[in-house]
Amino acid sequence: MHSFQTGDFARILKDGEPEYVKVDAAEGDQVAATSQTTWLAGKYTPDQLEYIPPYQIPTEDVQKLLRFEVPYSAVCGPAVPFDNVRTAPIQITLDDLKAAILNYKVSGLKPGQFANEWFWPLWDALYLDIHLDDARNDPHAAPVAPEYIFTEHKAFAGAWADLDAMAKGAPVDLDRTLADIGLYYSNRGKPFEEQQFPVWARRSFLRFWLQPGLLQQASPLILQLFERFLDELHAAGDPFALQVIQLLEGQQTETE
């Protein structure tokens, strides 16, 4: 008989039908577990539970899943709970993210279906195994440095944020998401002054340098970029740019 531990998965029979539960605590002959179907908690004896070992996804299938060449249910089966899958460590990349979005767009699936077949399994089950944090967060990035305005990490984080919003039911323009990713690729190898940046990256840059006292200490390149981004956004009718202009004008009036 399996010695249950917190986090284990098991199967029980309820009204003759199998149901998955996740163990919350186990002590002696009492196992507290929560149904993964109804989310109701219950208490069981170990002999009432059939231990379900974690499902190990083959590495080649994980790579296909990351790029949404196959859906989660085809890799694991619809009955395997998200929290009970494992894989060998693998690094998800911006290329994988771009491929997943393109494959979703031709799949015919609705946003909620895509979320269940791709986004939530990666977020809920494989977050650590696929090194999602490493792809989203550049540990060396400094917001004050121009070269970190739009890194691969930031391009990934921006696209992931769009997919997160879509998974939660918000309308998202994935063509714009792909265009932002395309900007990152088109920037590579170009002098910094010739690179182009998505709206959200330019807004983020302006917000950072609007913090009290920072612009007064900024380098000539930072000031040049600040003016360029502000002009670009204002010319495009971005309301945030107008707010920045009004703020700067107000600060100038106060110093006169």
Side-chain angles (χ1 to χ4, degrees):
M1 185 180 300
H2 181 73
S3 178
F4 285 98
Q5 299 179 3
T6 301
D8 282 349
F9 278 83
R11 186 163 41 219
I12 61 173
L13 287 178
K14 283 193 174 180
D15 300 324
E17 295 293 327
E19 184 173 321
Y20 281 98
V21 296
K22 186 176 182 179
V23 174
D24 301 316
E27 185 175 349
D29 61 353
Q30 287 290 312
V31 179
T34 299
S35 166
Q36 300 299 284
T37 303
T38 64
W39 303 109
L40 296 176
K43 291 188 176 180
Y44 309 91
T45 58
D47 60 351
Q48 292 179 289
L49 303 173
E50 177 191 356
Y51 172 64
I52 306 298
Y55 178 77
Q56 187 73 25
I57 307 176
T59 299
E60 59 271 19
D61 286 343
V62 177
Q63 189 68 61
K64 294 176 182 177
L65 176 60
L66 295 186
R67 302 174 72 85
F68 201 55
E69 294 170 2
V70 293
Y72 174 82
S73 60
V75 173
C76 298
V80 179
F82 288 169
D83 289 351
N84 204 34
V85 296
R86 303 287 186 275
T87 182
I90 190 170
Q91 180 64 65
I92 188 172
T93 67
L94 186 61
D95 286 342
D96 294 329
L97 207 58
K98 178 182 177 182
I101 294 172
L102 290 171
N103 285 328
Y104 160 63
K105 283 174 66 67
V106 300
S107 69
L109 295 179
K110 296 179 179 178
Q113 294 172 308
F114 177 59
N116 289 332
E117 290 284 14
W118 187 83
F119 183 86
W120 294 124
L122 267 58
W123 180 260
D124 289 343
L126 301 178
Y127 190 100
L128 296 177
D129 290 342
I130 63 175
H131 296 180
L132 188 52
D133 263 343
D134 291 344
R136 298 167 68 216
N137 305 311
D138 185 347
H140 306 295
V144 296
E147 61 266 29
Y148 286 116
I149 292 174
F150 193 43
T151 63
E152 182 172 0
H153 293 79
K154 289 195 174 182
F156 187 104
W160 186 266
D162 287 344
L163 293 169
D164 188 1
M166 189 176 80
K168 294 172 180 174
V172 173
D173 182 357
L174 289 182
D175 289 331
R176 182 196 59 78
T177 305
L178 289 170
D180 286 353
I181 294 175
L183 274 182
Y184 166 76
Y185 287 120
S186 67
N187 281 342
R188 291 190 299 187
K190 289 183 180 179
F192 187 79
E193 292 76 8
E194 297 178 14
Q195 295 179 20
Q196 300 298 314
F197 306 96
V199 169
W200 60 263
R202 287 177 283 174
R203 286 176 177 168
S204 178
F205 179 87
L206 294 178
R207 285 192 186 96
F208 178 84
W209 286 102
L210 280 172
Q211 295 180 79
L214 287 188
L215 274 180
Q216 289 77 4
Q217 307 170 30
S219 68
L221 176 56
I222 292 293
L223 294 174
Q224 178 185 344
L225 286 171
F226 189 95
E227 184 176 354
R228 170 191 158 185
F229 291 167
L230 185 56
D231 288 346
E232 289 173 349
L233 292 175
H234 186 244
D238 190 304
F240 176 70
L242 182 58
Q243 294 174 14
V244 174
I245 291 172
Q246 292 172 342
L247 176 64
L248 294 175
E249 289 176 346
Q251 290 176 350
Q252 183 177 7
T253 300
E254 290 177 0
T255 58
E256 291 177 351

